[in-house]
């Protein structure tokens, strides 16, 4: 690292997305040698802000002072298949120079540039990222997604930038990979900004910057303080919503009671007039006062109702900003002990021997293990989508698979048409009712699937799986929250925890596994 103090300064930064929607504005930030977590819903502008800080994008407004050496690692970026490990860690040229020197094909000028300690530092960086003994000449195309993610982090260790920017660094990583990232964060000597929804990772950071609709929140107490503040903000929004609803109900009752009292007074006046036992001038005066009183009462009631309606609208808007949507999965009435799946002596097409697995209702089983151990293959074989090389698989129960990309959805179709593909016998009214259960009401059913956020895609996929005439009793889930923001993750957690069906779940998110009630772990060996 070229400097002892990282100096990042943002003043009045604003950003807009390609359609012209404002993502955030007026953002101020100062960062030294510390770690900062960047959080917010999908589409809030986290990746855009990282690109602005790195210099890969320009802000719509504001000014920025960044350190001289700044590195952005975008874990979602594709990797050209013709690269080697040396290319991906950014050390191809200096390693080639060492090879030429060892072969005696180098002049004095190039010899002075050789870094003889580089190979040892590369070996140390690879070991630190769990990639010991990896050949630097190995093609990247032969590595898994998790291994490539670790390689990029090893490259960051070697580059030693003053400011390191990480975009969802734990996506696609197994437990050991996540531990390696946590170790890197704990030992990083420079500045560090991490966009992530990984709750364990966020707890280890010193500060949190939250991008919320229309606002930016700074949390100086780290990840735990942010989670507590977020929960308190959500609780306050729910309380304000309940109070606004109560006030609206009281205002309506009071207006109704006042109108009833005025009606009784008016009826009494009409009875006096009918009996003719009072002078007409007095009756007319009373009627005039009654009409003025009714008018004042109506105006007062209208003002109070308008105020209560405004408070209710404001409370609902605040809840929309802080709260998370809630939906429920349809019940299966799955009997306890009913056999759903039995896999024995299964070997995958790639030659991986899988442990035996039997599932009875309503069990909840987590499948864990390192990248490349065969977790996804196990789920696909269990669902009947892949054939094993050998072994037996019985599926007495109704089983469905939801992968992390929700590939069962056609992005070119509307939500309604996607659901119709999976429930062809249902009429449009029934299809719309199913989508409404998953929080897609009215015209939302006509949205194009390609335009959905990650959380919305998961909800639509669950609607397609569970909205069938005979919905599954066992859901196989492959990293279902990998690309979701925290609000969407918690929404899915809540729905799965309350469901009465069986689950077999591949995930490295410990909080997700705890919240959905996992009762058994099956670990696949390396």
């Amino acid at each position: 690292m070229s400097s002892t103090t990282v100096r990042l300064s943002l003043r009045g930064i604003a950003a807009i997305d390609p359609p012209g929607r404002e993502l955030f504005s007026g953002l101020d930030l100062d960062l030294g040698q510390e770690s900062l977590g960047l959080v917010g819903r999908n589409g809030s502008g986290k990746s855009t802000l990282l690109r602005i800080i790195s210099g890969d994008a320009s802000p719509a407004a504001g000014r920025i002072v960044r350190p001289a050496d700044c590195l952005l690692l975008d874990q979602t970026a594709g990797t050209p298949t013709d690269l080697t490990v040396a290319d991906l860690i950014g050390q191809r040229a200096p390693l080639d120079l060492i090879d030429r020197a060892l072969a005696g094909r180098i002049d004095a000028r190039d010899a002075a540039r050789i870094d003889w300690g580089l190979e040892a530092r590369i070996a140390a960086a690879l070991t630190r990222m769990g990639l010991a003994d990896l050949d630097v000449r190995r093609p990247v195309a032969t590595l898994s997604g998790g291994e490539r993610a670790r390689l990029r982090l090893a490259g960051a260790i070697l580059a030693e930038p003053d400011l390191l920017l990480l975009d969802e660094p734990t996506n696609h990583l197994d437990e050991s990979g996540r531990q390696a990232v946590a170790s890197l964060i704990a030992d990083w000597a420079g500045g560090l900004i991490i966009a992530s929804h990984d709750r364990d990772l966020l707890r280890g950071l010193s500060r949190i910057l939250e991008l919320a609709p229309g606002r930016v929140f700074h949390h100086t107490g780290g990840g735990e303080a942010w989670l507590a503040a977020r929960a308190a903000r959500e609780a306050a929004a729910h309380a304000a919503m309940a109070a606004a609803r109560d006030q609206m109900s009281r205002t309506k009752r009071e207006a109704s009671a006042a109108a009833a009292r005025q009606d009784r007074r008016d009826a009494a006046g009409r009875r006096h007039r009918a009996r003719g036992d009072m002078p007409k001038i007095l009756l007319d005066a009373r009627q005039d006062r009654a009409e003025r009183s009714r008018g004042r009462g109506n105006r007062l009631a209208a003002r109070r109702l308008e105020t209560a309606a405004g408070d209710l609208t404001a409370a609902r808007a605040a809840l929309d900003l802080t709260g998370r949507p809630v939906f429920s999965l349809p019940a299966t009435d799955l009997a306890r002990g009913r056999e759903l799946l039995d896999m024995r002596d299964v070997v995958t097409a790639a030659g991986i021997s899988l442990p035996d697995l039997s599932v009875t209702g309503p069990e909840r089983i987590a499948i864990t293990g390192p990248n490349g151990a065969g977790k996804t293959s196990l789920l696909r074989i269990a669902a009947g989508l892949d054939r094993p090389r050998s072994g037996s698989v019985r599926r007495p129960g109704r089983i469905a698979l939801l992968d992390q990309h929700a590939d069962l959805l056609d992005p070119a179709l509307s939500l309604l048409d996607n659901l119709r593909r999976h429930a062809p016998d249902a009429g449009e009214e029934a299809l719309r009712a199913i989508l409404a259960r998953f929080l897609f009401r009215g015209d939302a059913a006509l949205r194009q699937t390609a335009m959905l956020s990650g959380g919305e895609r998961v909800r639509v996929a669950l609607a397609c799986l569970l909205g069938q005439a005979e919905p599954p009793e066992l859901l196989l889930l492959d990293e279902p929250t990998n690309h979701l923001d925290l609000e969407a993750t918690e929404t899915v957690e809540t729905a799965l925890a309350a469901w009465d069906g069986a689950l077999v779940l591949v995930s490295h998110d410990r909080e997700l596994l705890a919240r959905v009630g996992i009762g058994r772990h099956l670990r696949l060996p390396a």
Side-chain angles (χ1 to χ4, degrees):
M1 297 177 187
S2 60
S3 62
T4 57
T5 302
V6 179
R7 292 180 296 276
L8 173 70
S9 176
L10 307 181
R11 290 293 179 270
I13 298 297
I16 58 175
D17 64 10
R21 177 179 62 96
E22 182 181 274
L23 297 173
F24 50 82
S25 63
L27 191 154
D28 296 336
L29 175 66
D30 291 296
L31 187 78
Q33 288 178 277
E34 56 190 319
S35 58
L36 174 76
L38 184 58
V39 300
R41 296 179 180 179
N42 288 344
S44 63
K46 301 185 297 294
S47 296
T48 299
L49 180 56
L50 290 181
R51 295 183 68 245
I52 288 172
I53 292 172
S54 70
D56 293 332
S58 299
R63 57 186 177 86
I64 178 170
V65 177
R66 63 176 63 85
D69 192 7
C70 182
L71 176 64
L72 169 62
L73 293 187
D74 180 1
Q75 298 297 340
T76 64
T79 303
T81 56
D82 59 345
L83 298 184
T84 65
V85 168
D87 291 312
L88 197 56
I89 62 176
Q91 302 297 329
R92 174 68 175 270
L95 285 174
D96 284 348
L97 192 62
I98 292 174
D99 287 342
R100 286 183 9 237
L102 293 175
R105 302 192 312 272
I106 196 170
D107 57 29
R109 184 180 62 181
D110 285 340
R113 296 167 41 224
I114 294 177
D115 180 357
W116 290 107
L118 177 62
E119 290 179 314
R121 292 201 306 278
I122 289 175
L126 292 176
T127 299
R128 186 172 174 183
M129 286 295 109
L131 298 170
D133 303 321
L134 184 64
D135 188 346
V136 295
R137 298 169 184 79
R138 180 172 169 178
V140 170
T142 65
L143 303 177
S144 70
E147 289 170 325
R148 296 180 196 183
R150 294 192 197 200
L151 265 185
R152 292 189 180 95
L153 292 168
I157 294 173
L158 292 164
E160 294 186 314
D162 295 322
L163 177 60
L164 178 59
L165 310 172
L166 302 177
D167 196 354
E168 298 290 357
T170 56
N171 272 6
H172 310 294
L173 293 185
D174 56 24
E175 186 60 32
S176 65
R178 288 171 178 243
Q179 292 172 357
V181 172
S183 175
L184 170 65
I185 292 169
D187 297 338
W188 191 256
L192 188 62
I193 301 179
I194 305 173
S196 179
H197 65 273
D198 185 326
R199 287 163 286 195
D200 283 338
L201 184 150
L202 292 170
R203 286 189 176 94
L205 305 181
S206 54
R207 293 168 56 193
I208 300 292
L209 178 68
E210 180 182 1
L211 301 181
R215 295 190 65 182
V216 176
F217 295 97
H218 293 265
H219 303 273
T220 57
E224 286 289 0
W226 164 66
L227 288 170
R230 177 175 167 271
R233 202 165 67 233
E234 184 174 338
H238 279 285
M241 184 67 178
R245 283 175 171 160
D246 288 345
Q247 182 60 40
M248 174 63 83
S249 297
R250 282 196 302 273
T251 302
K252 287 181 176 179
R253 288 196 303 270
E254 290 168 358
S256 179
R261 287 194 297 272
Q262 187 62 50
D263 287 342
R264 287 195 295 271
R265 287 194 291 268
D266 291 348
R270 287 193 296 272
R271 286 195 297 272
H272 280 300
R273 184 177 291 273
R275 287 198 300 268
D277 56 359
M278 293 182 65
K280 183 175 183 299
I281 189 171
L282 183 58
L283 289 170
D284 290 344
R286 284 191 172 185
Q287 181 177 351
D288 183 59
R289 285 197 302 273
E291 289 174 351
R292 288 199 302 270
S293 176
R294 178 180 287 276
R296 286 195 301 272
N298 288 342
R299 289 192 296 273
L300 179 60
R303 285 197 300 271
R304 288 177 174 173
L305 283 170
E306 183 178 358
T307 299
D311 291 343
L312 184 59
T313 298
R316 185 176 289 113
L319 187 60
D320 288 342
L321 293 180
T322 60
R324 53 183 180 270
V326 177
F327 69 98
S328 62
L329 305 181
T332 64
D333 297 323
L334 179 61
R336 184 169 297 277
R338 168 168 155 70
E339 187 181 21
L340 301 172
L341 173 68
D342 186 74
M343 299 173 61
R344 303 286 173 184
D345 303 317
V346 170
V347 178
T348 71
I352 300 174
S353 295
L354 299 177
D356 293 345
L357 173 64
S358 61
V359 184
T360 57
E363 272 194 291
R364 307 220 152 176
I365 303 169
I367 308 296
T368 61
N371 294 128
K375 300 186 293 296
T376 296
S377 294
L378 184 152
L379 294 187
R380 291 186 59 83
I381 290 172
L385 300 178
D386 288 346
R387 293 175 59 86
R389 178 185 295 181
S390 60
S392 66
V393 182
R394 293 190 304 107
R395 306 179 186 87
R398 299 190 300 274
I399 302 173
L401 169 65
L402 174 59
D403 65 86
Q404 60 183 289
H405 302 292
D407 286 337
L408 61 92
L409 301 176
D410 185 338
L413 296 180
S414 69
L415 280 59
L416 192 63
D417 287 338
N418 263 302
L419 179 57
R420 185 176 284 115
R421 291 171 57 220
H422 295 274
D425 296 330
E428 180 159 334
E429 184 176 345
L431 294 174
R432 284 183 175 273
I434 293 169
L435 288 172
R437 182 183 190 119
F438 289 83
L439 308 181
F440 298 104
R441 300 181 177 92
D443 290 342
L446 304 179
R447 292 173 61 190
Q448 187 180 9
T449 303
M451 305 305 294
L452 300 180
S453 68
E456 289 170 330
R457 285 179 62 84
V458 171
R459 275 192 278 136
V460 175
L462 287 172
C464 290
L465 294 175
L466 296 166
Q468 302 176 45
E470 292 190 334
E473 302 160 304
L474 167 60
L475 275 179
L476 311 173
L477 304 173
D478 191 0
E479 297 285 4
T481 61
N482 211 22
H483 300 288
L484 306 190
D485 58 39
L486 187 53
E487 285 78 5
T489 295
E490 291 172 337
T491 295
V492 172
E493 285 174 349
T494 301
L496 292 176
W499 189 51
D500 67 344
L503 294 176
V504 173
L505 176 61
V506 170
S507 178
H508 300 289
D509 186 335
R510 291 181 294 182
E511 289 202 33
L512 168 66
L513 297 180
R515 293 186 180 189
V516 301
I518 293 298
R520 180 156 58 104
H521 290 256
L522 179 65
R523 181 169 179 81
L524 275 57

